[in-house]
Coordinates of all heavy atoms in Angstrom, one line a residue:
M1 N 12.6 -115.7 169.5 CA 11.2 -115.9 169.6 C 10.9 -116.6 171.0 O 11.6 -117.5 171.4 CB 10.8 -116.9 168.5 CG 9.3 -117.3 168.5 SD 8.8 -118.3 167.2 CE 9.5 -119.9 167.6
K2 N 9.9 -116.0 171.7 CA 9.5 -116.6 173.0 C 8.5 -117.6 172.9 O 7.5 -117.4 172.0 CB 9.1 -115.4 174.0 CG 10.2 -114.5 174.2 CD 11.0 -115.0 175.4 CE 12.1 -114.0 175.8 NZ 13.4 -114.5 175.7
H3 N 8.5 -118.7 173.6 CA 7.5 -119.7 173.5 C 6.6 -119.6 174.7 O 7.1 -119.3 175.8 CB 8.2 -121.1 173.5 CG 9.0 -121.4 172.3 ND1 8.5 -121.5 171.0 CD2 10.3 -121.6 172.2 CE1 9.5 -121.7 170.2 NE2 10.6 -121.7 170.9
D4 N 5.3 -119.8 174.5 CA 4.4 -119.9 175.6 C 4.3 -121.4 176.0 O 3.4 -122.1 175.5 CB 3.0 -119.4 175.2 CG 2.0 -119.3 176.3 OD1 2.3 -120.0 177.3 OD2 1.0 -118.7 176.1
Y5 N 5.1 -121.8 177.0 CA 5.2 -123.3 177.3 C 3.9 -123.7 178.0 O 3.5 -124.8 177.9 CB 6.4 -123.5 178.2 CG 7.7 -123.3 177.5 CD1 8.5 -122.2 177.7 CD2 8.1 -124.2 176.5 CE1 9.7 -122.0 176.9 CE2 9.2 -124.0 175.7 CZ 10.0 -123.0 176.0 OH 11.2 -122.8 175.3
K6 N 3.2 -122.8 178.8 CA 2.0 -123.2 179.4 C 1.0 -123.5 178.3 O 0.2 -124.5 178.4 CB 1.5 -122.0 180.2 CG 0.1 -122.3 180.9 CD 0.3 -123.3 182.1 CE -1.0 -123.5 182.9 NZ -1.9 -124.4 182.3
K7 N 0.9 -122.7 177.3 CA 0.0 -122.9 176.2 C 0.3 -124.2 175.4 O -0.6 -125.0 175.1 CB -0.1 -121.7 175.2 CG -1.0 -121.9 174.0 CD -1.2 -120.7 173.2 CE -2.1 -120.7 172.1 NZ -2.5 -122.0 171.6
L8 N 1.6 -124.4 175.2 CA 2.0 -125.7 174.6 C 1.6 -126.9 175.4 O 1.1 -127.9 174.9 CB 3.6 -125.7 174.4 CG 4.1 -124.9 173.3 CD1 5.7 -124.9 173.4 CD2 3.7 -125.5 172.0
Q9 N 1.8 -126.8 176.7 CA 1.3 -127.9 177.5 C -0.2 -128.2 177.4 O -0.6 -129.3 177.4 CB 1.7 -127.6 179.0 CG 3.2 -127.9 179.3 CD 3.5 -127.5 180.7 OE1 2.7 -126.9 181.5 NE2 4.7 -127.8 181.2
D10 N -0.9 -127.0 177.4 CA -2.3 -127.2 177.4 C -2.8 -127.7 176.0 O -3.8 -128.4 176.0 CB -3.0 -125.8 177.6 CG -2.8 -125.3 179.0 OD1 -2.4 -126.2 179.9 OD2 -3.0 -124.2 179.3
D11 N -2.1 -127.4 175.0 CA -2.5 -127.8 173.7 C -2.2 -129.2 173.3 O -2.9 -129.9 172.5 CB -1.8 -126.9 172.5 CG -2.4 -125.5 172.5 OD1 -3.4 -125.3 173.2 OD2 -1.8 -124.6 171.9
V12 N -1.2 -129.8 173.9 CA -0.8 -131.2 173.6 C -1.5 -132.2 174.5 O -1.3 -132.1 175.7 CB 0.8 -131.3 173.7 CG1 1.2 -132.8 173.5 CG2 1.5 -130.4 172.9
R13 N -2.2 -133.0 173.9 CA -2.9 -134.1 174.7 C -2.0 -135.4 174.8 O -1.3 -135.6 173.8 CB -4.3 -134.4 174.0 CG -5.2 -133.3 173.9 CD -6.4 -133.6 173.1 NE -6.0 -134.3 171.8 CZ -6.7 -135.2 171.1 NH1 -7.9 -135.5 171.7 NH2 -6.4 -135.7 170.1
W14 N -2.2 -136.1 175.8 CA -1.3 -137.3 175.9 C -1.5 -138.3 174.8 O -0.6 -139.0 174.4 CB -1.5 -138.0 177.2 CG -2.8 -138.6 177.5 CD1 -4.0 -138.1 178.1 CD2 -3.2 -139.9 177.1 NE1 -5.0 -139.0 178.0 CE2 -4.5 -140.2 177.4 CE3 -2.5 -141.1 176.4 CZ2 -5.2 -141.4 177.1 CZ3 -3.1 -142.2 176.2 CH2 -4.5 -142.4 176.6
E15 N -2.8 -138.2 174.3 CA -3.0 -139.2 173.1 C -2.3 -138.9 171.9 O -2.1 -139.7 171.0 CB -4.6 -139.2 172.8 CG -5.5 -139.6 173.9 CD -6.0 -138.4 174.7 OE1 -5.3 -137.4 174.9 OE2 -7.2 -138.4 175.0
D16 N -1.8 -137.6 171.7 CA -1.1 -137.2 170.6 C 0.4 -137.4 170.7 O 1.2 -137.3 169.7 CB -1.2 -135.7 170.4 CG -2.6 -135.3 170.2 OD1 -3.4 -136.1 169.6 OD2 -3.1 -134.2 170.6
I17 N 0.9 -137.8 171.8 CA 2.4 -138.1 172.1 C 2.7 -139.5 171.7 O 2.0 -140.5 172.1 CB 2.7 -137.7 173.5 CG1 2.4 -136.3 173.9 CG2 4.2 -138.0 173.8 CD1 2.6 -136.0 175.3
S18 N 3.8 -139.7 170.9 CA 4.2 -141.0 170.5 C 4.8 -141.8 171.8 O 5.2 -141.2 172.7 CB 5.2 -140.9 169.4 OG 6.4 -140.3 169.9
E19 N 4.7 -143.1 171.6 CA 5.3 -143.9 172.7 C 6.7 -143.6 172.9 O 7.6 -143.5 172.0 CB 5.1 -145.4 172.3 CG 5.3 -146.3 173.4 CD 5.0 -147.8 173.1 OE1 4.1 -148.0 172.2 OE2 5.6 -148.7 173.7
G20 N 7.1 -143.3 174.1 CA 8.5 -142.9 174.4 C 8.9 -141.5 174.0 O 10.0 -141.1 174.0
G21 N 7.9 -140.8 173.4 CA 8.2 -139.4 173.0 C 9.0 -139.4 171.7 O 9.7 -138.4 171.4
L22 N 9.0 -140.5 171.0 CA 9.9 -140.6 169.8 C 9.3 -139.7 168.7 O 8.1 -139.5 168.5 CB 9.9 -142.1 169.3 CG 10.7 -143.0 170.2 CD1 10.6 -144.4 169.6 CD2 12.1 -142.7 170.4
I23 N 10.3 -139.1 167.9 CA 9.9 -138.3 166.8 C 10.2 -139.1 165.5 O 11.4 -139.5 165.3 CB 10.7 -136.9 166.8 CG1 10.4 -136.2 168.1 CG2 10.4 -136.1 165.6 CD1 11.3 -135.0 168.4
Y24 N 9.2 -139.3 164.7 CA 9.4 -140.1 163.4 C 9.6 -139.3 162.2 O 10.3 -139.7 161.3 CB 8.2 -141.0 163.2 CG 8.0 -141.9 164.3 CD1 7.0 -141.8 165.3 CD2 8.8 -143.0 164.5 CE1 6.8 -142.6 166.4 CE2 8.7 -143.9 165.6 CZ 7.6 -143.7 166.5 OH 7.5 -144.5 167.5
A25 N 9.2 -138.0 162.2 CA 9.5 -137.1 161.0 C 10.9 -136.7 160.9 O 11.5 -136.3 161.8 CB 8.6 -135.9 161.1
E26 N 11.5 -136.9 159.7 CA 12.9 -136.6 159.6 C 13.1 -135.1 159.2 O 12.2 -134.4 158.7 CB 13.5 -137.4 158.4 CG 13.1 -137.0 157.0 CD 11.7 -137.6 156.7 OE1 11.1 -138.3 157.5 OE2 11.2 -137.2 155.6
G27 N 14.3 -134.6 159.4 CA 14.6 -133.2 159.1 C 13.9 -132.1 159.8 O 13.7 -131.0 159.3
N28 N 13.4 -132.4 161.0 CA 12.6 -131.5 161.7 C 13.3 -130.5 162.5 O 12.9 -129.4 162.9 CB 11.4 -132.1 162.5 CG 12.1 -133.1 163.5 OD1 13.2 -133.1 163.8 ND2 11.2 -134.0 163.9
S29 N 14.6 -130.8 162.7 CA 15.4 -129.9 163.7 C 15.5 -128.4 163.1 O 15.7 -127.5 163.9 CB 16.8 -130.5 164.0 OG 17.5 -130.6 162.7
V30 N 15.5 -128.3 161.8 CA 15.6 -127.0 161.2 C 14.5 -126.1 161.5 O 14.6 -124.9 161.4 CB 15.9 -127.2 159.7 CG1 14.5 -127.5 158.9 CG2 16.4 -125.9 159.1
A31 N 13.3 -126.7 161.9 CA 12.2 -125.9 162.2 C 12.2 -125.4 163.7 O 11.3 -124.6 164.0 CB 10.9 -126.7 162.0
V32 N 13.1 -125.9 164.5 CA 13.2 -125.4 165.9 C 14.3 -124.5 166.1 O 15.5 -124.8 165.9 CB 13.3 -126.7 166.8 CG1 13.3 -126.2 168.3 CG2 12.2 -127.7 166.5
N33 N 14.0 -123.3 166.5 CA 15.1 -122.2 166.7 C 15.7 -122.4 168.0 O 15.5 -121.7 169.0 CB 14.4 -120.9 166.6 CG 14.0 -120.6 165.2 OD1 14.4 -121.1 164.3 ND2 13.1 -119.6 165.0
T34 N 16.7 -123.4 168.1 CA 17.4 -123.8 169.3 C 18.3 -122.6 169.7 O 18.8 -122.6 170.8 CB 18.2 -125.0 169.1 OG1 18.9 -124.9 167.9 CG2 17.3 -126.2 169.1
G35 N 18.6 -121.6 168.9 CA 19.4 -120.5 169.2 C 18.8 -119.6 170.3 O 19.5 -118.8 171.0
D36 N 17.5 -119.9 170.7 CA 16.9 -119.1 171.7 C 17.6 -119.5 173.1 O 17.4 -118.7 174.0 CB 15.4 -119.6 171.9 CG 14.5 -119.1 170.7 OD1 15.1 -118.4 169.9 OD2 13.3 -119.5 170.7
W37 N 18.3 -120.6 173.2 CA 18.8 -120.9 174.5 C 20.1 -120.3 174.7 O 20.7 -120.3 175.8 CB 19.1 -122.5 174.5 CG 18.0 -123.3 174.1 CD1 16.7 -123.0 174.1 CD2 18.1 -124.7 173.7 NE1 15.9 -124.0 173.7 CE2 16.7 -125.1 173.4 CE3 19.1 -125.6 173.5 CZ2 16.4 -126.4 173.0 CZ3 18.8 -126.9 173.1 CH2 17.5 -127.3 172.8
R38 N 20.7 -119.6 173.7 CA 22.1 -119.2 173.7 C 22.3 -118.1 174.8 O 21.5 -117.1 174.9 CB 22.5 -118.7 172.3 CG 23.9 -118.3 172.1 CD 24.1 -117.8 170.7 NE 23.2 -116.8 170.3 CZ 22.3 -116.8 169.3 NH1 22.2 -117.9 168.6 NH2 21.5 -115.8 169.0
T39 N 23.4 -118.2 175.5 CA 23.8 -117.2 176.4 C 25.1 -116.4 176.0 O 25.3 -115.3 176.4 CB 24.0 -117.7 177.8 OG1 25.0 -118.7 177.8 CG2 22.8 -118.3 178.4
N40 N 25.8 -117.0 175.0 CA 26.9 -116.3 174.4 C 26.8 -116.4 172.9 O 26.3 -117.4 172.3 CB 28.3 -117.0 174.8 CG 28.6 -116.9 176.3 OD1 28.6 -115.8 176.8 ND2 28.7 -118.0 177.0
R41 N 27.3 -115.3 172.3 CA 27.1 -115.1 170.8 C 28.4 -115.0 170.1 O 29.2 -114.2 170.5 CB 26.2 -113.9 170.6 CG 26.1 -113.4 169.1 CD 25.3 -112.2 169.0 NE 23.9 -112.6 169.1 CZ 23.0 -112.4 168.1 NH1 23.4 -112.0 167.0 NH2 21.8 -112.7 168.4
P42 N 28.7 -115.9 169.1 CA 29.9 -115.7 168.3 C 29.7 -114.6 167.3 O 28.7 -114.5 166.6 CB 30.0 -117.1 167.6 CG 28.6 -117.6 167.5 CD 27.8 -117.0 168.6
I43 N 30.7 -113.7 167.2 CA 30.6 -112.6 166.3 C 31.8 -112.9 165.3 O 33.0 -112.9 165.7 CB 30.9 -111.2 167.0 CG1 29.9 -111.0 168.0 CG2 30.9 -110.1 166.0 CD1 28.5 -110.8 167.6
W44 N 31.5 -113.0 164.0 CA 32.4 -113.3 162.9 C 33.0 -112.0 162.5 O 32.2 -111.0 162.1 CB 31.7 -114.1 161.9 CG 32.6 -114.4 160.6 CD1 33.7 -114.9 160.6 CD2 32.2 -114.1 159.3 NE1 34.2 -115.1 159.4 CE2 33.3 -114.5 158.5 CE3 31.1 -113.5 158.7 CZ2 33.3 -114.5 157.1 CZ3 31.1 -113.4 157.3 CH2 32.2 -113.9 156.5
N45 N 34.3 -111.9 162.3 CA 35.0 -110.8 161.8 C 35.5 -111.1 160.4 O 36.4 -111.8 160.2 CB 36.1 -110.4 162.7 CG 36.8 -109.1 162.3 OD1 36.9 -108.8 161.1 ND2 37.3 -108.3 163.3
E46 N 34.7 -110.6 159.4 CA 35.0 -111.0 158.0 C 36.4 -110.6 157.6 O 37.1 -111.3 156.8 CB 33.9 -110.4 157.1 CG 34.0 -110.9 155.7 CD 32.8 -110.5 154.8 OE1 31.9 -109.8 155.4 OE2 32.8 -110.9 153.7
E47 N 36.9 -109.4 158.1 CA 38.2 -109.0 157.7 C 39.3 -109.8 158.2 O 40.3 -110.0 157.5 CB 38.4 -107.5 158.2 CG 37.7 -106.4 157.5 CD 36.2 -106.4 157.8 OE1 35.9 -106.7 159.0 OE2 35.4 -106.3 156.8
K48 N 39.1 -110.4 159.3 CA 40.2 -111.3 159.8 C 40.1 -112.7 159.3 O 41.1 -113.5 159.4 CB 40.1 -111.4 161.4 CG 40.6 -110.2 162.2 CD 40.5 -110.6 163.6 CE 41.0 -109.5 164.6 NZ 40.8 -109.9 165.9
C49 N 39.0 -113.1 158.8 CA 38.7 -114.5 158.4 C 39.5 -114.8 157.1 O 39.6 -114.0 156.2 CB 37.2 -114.7 158.1 SG 36.8 -116.3 157.4
K50 N 40.3 -115.9 157.2 CA 41.1 -116.3 156.0 C 40.4 -117.5 155.3 O 41.1 -118.1 154.4 CB 42.5 -116.8 156.5 CG 43.2 -115.8 157.4 CD 43.8 -114.7 156.6 CE 44.6 -113.8 157.5 NZ 44.5 -112.4 157.1
Q51 N 39.2 -117.8 155.6 CA 38.5 -118.8 154.8 C 39.1 -120.2 154.9 O 39.0 -121.0 154.0 CB 38.2 -118.4 153.4 CG 37.3 -117.2 153.2 CD 35.9 -117.4 153.7 OE1 35.5 -118.5 153.9 NE2 35.2 -116.2 154.0
C52 N 39.7 -120.5 156.1 CA 40.3 -121.8 156.2 C 39.2 -122.9 156.4 O 39.5 -124.1 156.2 CB 41.3 -121.8 157.3 SG 40.5 -121.7 159.0
L53 N 38.1 -122.5 156.9 CA 36.9 -123.4 157.1 C 37.1 -124.4 158.2 O 36.4 -125.4 158.3 CB 36.5 -124.1 155.9 CG 36.0 -123.2 154.8 CD1 35.4 -124.0 153.6 CD2 34.9 -122.2 155.3
L54 N 38.1 -124.2 159.1 CA 38.2 -125.1 160.3 C 37.0 -125.1 161.2 O 36.7 -126.1 161.9 CB 39.5 -124.7 161.0 CG 40.9 -125.1 160.4 CD1 42.0 -124.6 161.1 CD2 40.9 -126.6 160.2
C55 N 36.4 -123.9 161.2 CA 35.2 -123.8 162.1 C 34.0 -124.6 161.6 O 33.1 -124.9 162.3 CB 34.8 -122.3 162.2 SG 34.5 -121.5 160.6
F56 N 33.9 -124.8 160.3 CA 32.8 -125.4 159.7 C 32.5 -126.9 160.2 O 31.4 -127.1 160.7 CB 32.9 -125.4 158.2 CG 31.7 -126.0 157.5 CD1 30.5 -125.4 157.4 CD2 31.8 -127.3 156.9 CE1 29.4 -126.0 156.8 CE2 30.8 -127.9 156.3 CZ 29.5 -127.2 156.2
P57 N 33.4 -127.8 160.1 CA 33.2 -129.2 160.6 C 33.0 -129.4 162.1 O 32.4 -130.4 162.5 CB 34.3 -130.0 160.1 CG 35.4 -129.0 160.0 CD 34.8 -127.7 159.7
V58 N 33.5 -128.4 162.8 CA 33.4 -128.6 164.4 C 32.2 -128.1 165.0 O 31.8 -128.4 166.1 CB 34.6 -128.0 165.0 CG1 35.9 -128.7 164.6 CG2 34.7 -126.5 164.9
C59 N 31.4 -127.3 164.2 CA 30.1 -126.7 164.8 C 29.1 -127.8 165.1 O 28.7 -128.4 164.1 CB 29.6 -125.6 164.0 SG 28.0 -125.0 164.6
P60 N 28.8 -128.1 166.3 CA 27.8 -129.2 166.6 C 26.4 -128.9 166.1 O 25.5 -129.8 166.1 CB 27.8 -129.3 168.1 CG 28.3 -128.0 168.6 CD 29.2 -127.4 167.5
D61 N 26.1 -127.6 165.7 CA 24.8 -127.3 165.3 C 24.7 -126.9 163.8 O 23.7 -126.3 163.4 CB 24.2 -126.1 166.2 CG 24.1 -126.6 167.6 OD1 23.4 -127.6 167.9 OD2 24.8 -126.0 168.5
S62 N 25.7 -127.2 163.1 CA 25.8 -126.9 161.6 C 25.4 -125.4 161.4 O 24.6 -125.1 160.5 CB 24.8 -127.8 160.8 OG 25.3 -129.1 161.0
S63 N 25.9 -124.5 162.3 CA 25.5 -123.1 162.1 C 26.5 -122.2 161.5 O 26.3 -121.0 161.4 CB 25.3 -122.6 163.6 OG 24.2 -123.3 164.1
I64 N 27.6 -122.8 160.9 CA 28.5 -122.0 160.2 C 27.9 -122.0 158.7 O 27.8 -123.0 158.1 CB 29.9 -122.5 160.1 CG1 30.5 -122.7 161.6 CG2 30.8 -121.7 159.2 CD1 30.7 -121.3 162.2
K65 N 27.6 -120.8 158.3 CA 27.0 -120.6 156.9 C 28.0 -120.6 155.8 O 29.0 -119.9 156.0 CB 26.1 -119.4 156.9 CG 24.9 -119.4 157.9 CD 23.9 -118.4 157.5 CE 24.3 -117.0 157.7 NZ 23.1 -116.1 157.5
L66 N 27.8 -121.2 154.8 CA 28.6 -121.2 153.6 C 27.9 -120.6 152.4 O 26.7 -120.8 152.3 CB 29.2 -122.6 153.2 CG 30.0 -123.4 154.2 CD1 30.4 -124.7 153.6 CD2 31.2 -122.6 154.6
E67 N 28.7 -119.9 151.6 CA 28.2 -119.5 150.3 C 29.2 -120.1 149.3 O 30.4 -119.6 149.3 CB 28.1 -118.0 150.1 CG 26.8 -117.4 150.6 CD 26.7 -116.0 150.5 OE1 27.4 -115.4 149.6 OE2 26.0 -115.3 151.3
G68 N 28.8 -121.1 148.6 CA 29.8 -121.8 147.8 C 30.8 -122.5 148.7 O 30.4 -123.2 149.6
D69 N 32.1 -122.3 148.5 CA 33.1 -122.8 149.4 C 33.7 -121.8 150.4 O 34.8 -122.0 150.9 CB 34.2 -123.5 148.6 CG 34.9 -122.5 147.7 OD1 34.5 -121.3 147.6 OD2 35.9 -122.9 147.0
K70 N 32.9 -120.7 150.7 CA 33.4 -119.8 151.6 C 32.4 -119.5 152.8 O 31.2 -119.6 152.6 CB 33.5 -118.4 150.9 CG 34.6 -118.4 149.8 CD 35.1 -117.1 149.4 CE 36.4 -117.2 148.6 NZ 36.9 -116.0 148.1
M71 N 33.0 -119.3 153.9 CA 32.2 -119.0 155.1 C 31.5 -117.6 154.9 O 32.1 -116.7 154.4 CB 33.0 -118.9 156.4 CG 32.2 -118.6 157.6 SD 33.2 -118.4 159.1 CE 31.9 -118.0 160.2
S72 N 30.3 -117.6 155.2 CA 29.5 -116.3 155.0 C 28.8 -115.8 156.2 O 28.1 -114.7 156.1 CB 28.5 -116.5 153.8 OG 27.5 -117.4 154.3
G73 N 29.0 -116.5 157.4 CA 28.4 -115.9 158.6 C 28.0 -117.0 159.5 O 28.4 -118.2 159.4
I74 N 27.1 -116.7 160.4 CA 26.7 -117.7 161.4 C 25.1 -117.7 161.5 O 24.5 -116.6 161.4 CB 27.2 -117.3 162.8 CG1 28.7 -117.5 162.8 CG2 26.6 -118.1 163.9 CD1 29.5 -116.8 163.9
N75 N 24.6 -118.9 161.5 CA 23.1 -119.0 161.6 C 22.7 -118.9 163.0 O 22.8 -119.9 163.8 CB 22.7 -120.3 161.0 CG 21.2 -120.6 161.2 OD1 20.6 -120.0 161.9 ND2 20.8 -121.7 160.5
Y76 N 22.2 -117.7 163.4 CA 21.9 -117.5 164.9 C 20.6 -118.1 165.2 O 20.3 -118.2 166.4 CB 21.8 -116.0 165.1 CG 23.2 -115.3 165.1 CD1 23.5 -114.3 164.2 CD2 24.2 -115.7 166.0 CE1 24.8 -113.7 164.2 CE2 25.4 -115.1 166.0 CZ 25.7 -114.1 165.0 OH 26.9 -113.5 165.0
Y77 N 19.8 -118.6 164.3 CA 18.6 -119.3 164.7 C 18.9 -120.7 165.3 O 18.2 -121.2 166.1 CB 17.7 -119.6 163.4 CG 17.1 -118.4 162.8 CD1 17.4 -117.9 161.6 CD2 16.2 -117.7 163.6 CE1 16.8 -116.8 161.1 CE2 15.6 -116.5 163.1 CZ 15.9 -116.1 161.8 OH 15.4 -114.9 161.2
H78 N 20.1 -121.3 165.0 CA 20.4 -122.6 165.5 C 21.7 -122.6 166.3 O 22.0 -123.6 167.1 CB 20.5 -123.6 164.4 CG 19.2 -123.8 163.7 ND1 18.9 -123.2 162.5 CD2 18.1 -124.4 164.1 CE1 17.7 -123.6 162.2 NE2 17.2 -124.3 163.2
C79 N 22.6 -121.6 166.3 CA 23.8 -121.5 167.1 C 23.4 -121.4 168.5 O 22.6 -120.6 168.9 CB 24.6 -120.3 166.7 SG 25.9 -119.8 167.9
K80 N 24.1 -122.4 169.3 CA 23.8 -122.3 170.8 C 24.9 -121.7 171.5 O 24.9 -121.7 172.8 CB 23.6 -123.8 171.2 CG 22.4 -124.5 170.6 CD 22.0 -125.7 171.4 CE 21.0 -126.6 170.6 NZ 21.7 -127.4 169.6
G81 N 25.9 -121.1 170.8 CA 26.9 -120.3 171.6 C 27.9 -121.1 172.3 O 28.5 -120.6 173.3
C82 N 28.2 -122.3 171.9 CA 29.1 -123.1 172.6 C 30.6 -122.6 172.6 O 31.4 -122.9 173.4 CB 29.1 -124.6 172.0 SG 29.7 -124.7 170.3
G83 N 30.9 -121.8 171.5 CA 32.2 -121.2 171.3 C 33.3 -122.1 170.8 O 34.5 -121.7 170.7
I84 N 33.0 -123.3 170.3 CA 33.9 -124.2 169.7 C 34.5 -123.5 168.5 O 35.8 -123.6 168.2 CB 33.3 -125.6 169.3 CG1 32.9 -126.3 170.5 CG2 34.3 -126.4 168.5 CD1 32.2 -127.5 170.3
C85 N 33.7 -122.8 167.6 CA 34.2 -122.2 166.4 C 35.3 -121.1 166.8 O 36.3 -121.1 166.1 CB 33.0 -121.6 165.7 SG 32.1 -120.4 166.5
A86 N 35.0 -120.4 167.8 CA 35.9 -119.3 168.2 C 37.2 -120.0 168.7 O 38.4 -119.4 168.5 CB 35.3 -118.5 169.3
N87 N 37.1 -121.1 169.4 CA 38.2 -121.8 169.9 C 39.2 -122.4 168.9 O 40.4 -122.4 169.1 CB 37.7 -122.9 170.9 CG 38.8 -123.3 171.9 OD1 39.5 -124.3 171.6 ND2 38.9 -122.6 173.0
V88 N 38.6 -122.9 167.8 CA 39.4 -123.5 166.8 C 40.0 -122.5 165.7 O 40.9 -122.9 165.0 CB 38.7 -124.7 166.0 CG1 38.2 -125.7 166.9 CG2 37.6 -124.2 165.2
C89 N 39.4 -121.3 165.7 CA 39.8 -120.4 164.6 C 41.2 -119.9 164.9 O 41.6 -119.3 165.9 CB 38.9 -119.2 164.6 SG 39.4 -118.0 163.4
P90 N 42.2 -120.3 163.9 CA 43.5 -119.9 164.1 C 43.9 -118.3 163.9 O 44.9 -117.9 164.2 CB 44.4 -120.7 163.1 CG 43.3 -121.1 162.1 CD 42.0 -121.0 162.7
F91 N 42.8 -117.7 163.5 CA 43.0 -116.3 163.1 C 42.2 -115.2 164.0 O 42.1 -114.1 163.7 CB 42.7 -116.0 161.7 CG 43.5 -116.9 160.8 CD1 43.0 -118.1 160.2 CD2 44.9 -116.7 160.5 CE1 43.8 -118.9 159.3 CE2 45.7 -117.5 159.7 CZ 45.1 -118.6 159.1
D92 N 41.7 -115.8 165.0 CA 40.9 -115.0 166.0 C 39.8 -114.2 165.3 O 39.5 -113.0 165.5 CB 41.8 -114.1 166.8 CG 42.6 -114.8 167.8 OD1 42.2 -115.8 168.3 OD2 43.8 -114.3 168.0
A93 N 39.2 -114.9 164.3 CA 38.2 -114.2 163.5 C 36.8 -114.3 164.1 O 35.8 -113.8 163.5 CB 38.2 -114.7 162.0
I94 N 36.7 -115.0 165.2 CA 35.4 -115.2 165.9 C 35.5 -114.8 167.3 O 36.3 -115.4 168.0 CB 34.8 -116.6 165.7 CG1 34.6 -117.0 164.3 CG2 33.5 -116.7 166.4 CD1 34.2 -118.4 164.0
D95 N 34.8 -113.8 167.8 CA 34.8 -113.4 169.2 C 33.5 -113.8 169.8 O 32.4 -113.8 169.2 CB 34.9 -111.9 169.3 CG 36.2 -111.3 168.8 OD1 37.2 -111.9 169.1 OD2 36.2 -110.3 168.2
M96 N 33.6 -114.3 171.0 CA 32.4 -114.7 171.8 C 32.0 -113.5 172.8 O 32.9 -113.0 173.5 CB 32.6 -115.9 172.7 CG 32.9 -117.1 171.9 SD 31.7 -117.6 170.7 CE 30.3 -118.0 171.8
V97 N 30.8 -113.1 172.7 CA 30.3 -112.0 173.5 C 29.0 -112.5 174.3 O 28.4 -113.5 173.8 CB 29.9 -110.7 172.7 CG1 31.2 -110.2 172.0 CG2 28.8 -111.0 171.8
T98 N 28.7 -111.9 175.3 CA 27.5 -112.2 176.1 C 26.3 -111.8 175.3 O 26.3 -110.7 174.8 CB 27.6 -111.5 177.5 OG1 28.7 -111.9 178.2 CG2 26.4 -111.9 178.3
E99 N 25.4 -112.7 175.2 CA 24.1 -112.4 174.5 C 23.3 -111.4 175.3 O 23.2 -111.4 176.5 CB 23.3 -113.7 174.4 CG 22.1 -113.6 173.6 CD 22.4 -113.5 172.1 OE1 23.0 -114.4 171.5 OE2 22.0 -112.5 171.5
E100 N 22.8 -110.4 174.5 CA 22.0 -109.3 175.1 C 20.6 -109.9 175.3 O 20.0 -110.5 174.5 CB 22.0 -108.1 174.2 CG 23.3 -107.4 174.0 CD 23.8 -106.8 175.3 OE1 23.0 -106.3 176.0 OE2 25.0 -106.9 175.5
Ligands
SF4_201 S1 38.1 -120.9 161.4 FE1 38.3 -118.6 161.5 S2 39.5 -118.1 159.7 FE2 38.7 -120.1 159.3 S3 36.8 -119.9 158.1 FE3 36.3 -120.0 160.4 S4 36.2 -117.9 161.0 FE4 37.3 -117.9 159.1
SF4_202 S1 29.3 -121.0 168.9 FE1 29.0 -123.2 168.7 S2 27.0 -123.6 167.8 FE2 27.5 -121.4 167.4 S3 28.5 -121.3 165.4 FE3 30.1 -121.6 166.9 S4 30.5 -123.8 167.1 FE4 28.5 -123.4 166.1

């Protein structure tokens, strides 16, 4: 999703911004698709995956998807392409490719 930053700037008035730019609403990060910034994309290879789940706790963006106690893919809306999951995977089940 592309953002119109000029429009965002025009729409936000200084009176609407909290002191110090603090955000008080909790749980709002899920609403922001930070995956837009990604330049590298992790590709999960389900056949190679042994479900060790080592990738799950190291992802800084909580983008390793689980179904029950099994990895089921990657949340590309929030994955920023850091490559940590691919780096820790002992079975080479995640490849990093350049984002198109
Ligand atoms: S670290 Fe690799 S093998 Fe383990 S769950 Fe993640 S992708 Fe699968
Ligand atoms: S590339 Fe980084 S942000 Fe994306 S799933 Fe892997 S560890 Fe998480």
